[in-house]
Amino acid sequence: MEQIIVTQGDITRLDVECIVNAANRSLLGGGGVDGAIHRAAGPGLLAECRTLHGCETGEAKITRGYDLKAEYVIHTVGPIYSGTAQDERLLASCYRNSLELARSHGIRSIAFPAISTGVYGYPLEEAVSIAVQTVRSWLAEHQDWPMTVVLCCFNQRAVGLYQREVNKP
Ligand code: APR
């Protein structure tokens, strides 16, 4: 079964069990994909997010999906790009913690946006390689829990970069 799928489009429209939100530490919504997910999920999402009392960078928290097709939303907070070594560590932990949280909720299909590559300024090429390497190693470490991971791109450039990274041996 194809475990990593690259696709282009609006993550809020994907028919997967869980979509990942590139949130900020307040978890109270914002622009970019955060704004799109809250708009599509409706007010119930923000109401539940208020009960979570924020989220640290690199961490992940889960809510229901409300009006989304997805049953769950996992909110993770990517690093604001700083050019230091902790960027890579924190970005990788967003993917790893989201996958762990999904597994602990019995989720078998999950879609990620390109975390931190918008407002948070992470260079796309670097972020794509960290995303694919982290997802790939997590899947290899958890073959007892086959998961379909969709890497959802918002533009053609990202598709090309993700596809190239996924196709690397
Ligand atoms: N579907 C899929 N991808 C999307 C969508 C969408 N509907 N909208 C935006 N994107 C892509 C962007 O093109 C970018 O590649 O998601 C990626 C992440 O960009 P941002 O949404 O800006 O997220 P991020 O860079 O992690 O910054 C997070 O932005 O929106 C605020 O509240 C959020 O403060 C937080 C910050």
Side-chain angles (χ1 to χ4, degrees):
M1 167 179 50
E2 181 56 45
Q3 283 206 295
I4 300 180
I5 297 167
V6 177
T7 188
Q8 179 175 352
D10 177 350
I11 198 168
T12 66
R13 307 182 64 77
L14 291 180
D15 195 2
V16 288
E17 289 174 58
C18 177
I19 62 172
V20 175
N21 182 20
N24 59 58
R25 292 177 62 237
S26 76
L27 292 190
L28 299 179
V33 71
D34 195 3
I37 289 174
H38 276 274
R39 273 193 301 280
L45 182 62
L46 182 57
E48 185 173 357
C49 283
R50 287 193 198 288
T51 69
L52 299 178
H53 305 303
C55 183
E56 286 308 310
T57 301
E59 298 298 315
K61 291 192 176 179
I62 193 165
T63 65
R64 308 209 66 78
Y66 298 94
D67 301 342
L68 286 163
K69 285 196 188 105
E71 192 181 345
Y72 295 99
V73 179
I74 285 180
H75 307 262
T76 191
V77 181
I80 297 171
Y81 189 66
S82 65
T84 65
Q86 68 170 358
D87 290 336
E88 179 168 348
R89 179 177 58 78
L90 288 169
L91 186 60
S93 60
C94 285
Y95 287 93
R96 201 173 305 110
N97 286 328
S98 297
L99 288 164
E100 275 307 330
L101 193 50
R103 185 172 65 112
S104 66
H105 282 74
I107 291 165
R108 295 277 188 185
S109 63
I110 184 169
F112 286 93
I115 298 165
S116 283
T117 65
V119 168
Y120 281 1
Y122 214 114
L124 190 58
E125 296 86 340
E126 286 175 52
V128 164
S129 114
I130 293 163
V132 174
Q133 282 166 26
T134 307
V135 168
R136 206 181 244 153
S137 59
W138 191 91
L139 289 171
E141 291 156 17
H142 298 85
Q143 298 191 26
D144 61 320
W145 189 263
M147 181 103 82
T148 298
V149 179
V150 179
L151 299 172
C152 183
C153 308
F154 214 41
N155 57 57
Q156 193 56 41
R157 177 165 171 261
V159 170
L161 289 169
Y162 268 115
Q163 205 63 57
R164 193 179 64 194
E165 196 67 28
V166 167
N167 294 340
K168 279 182 186 170

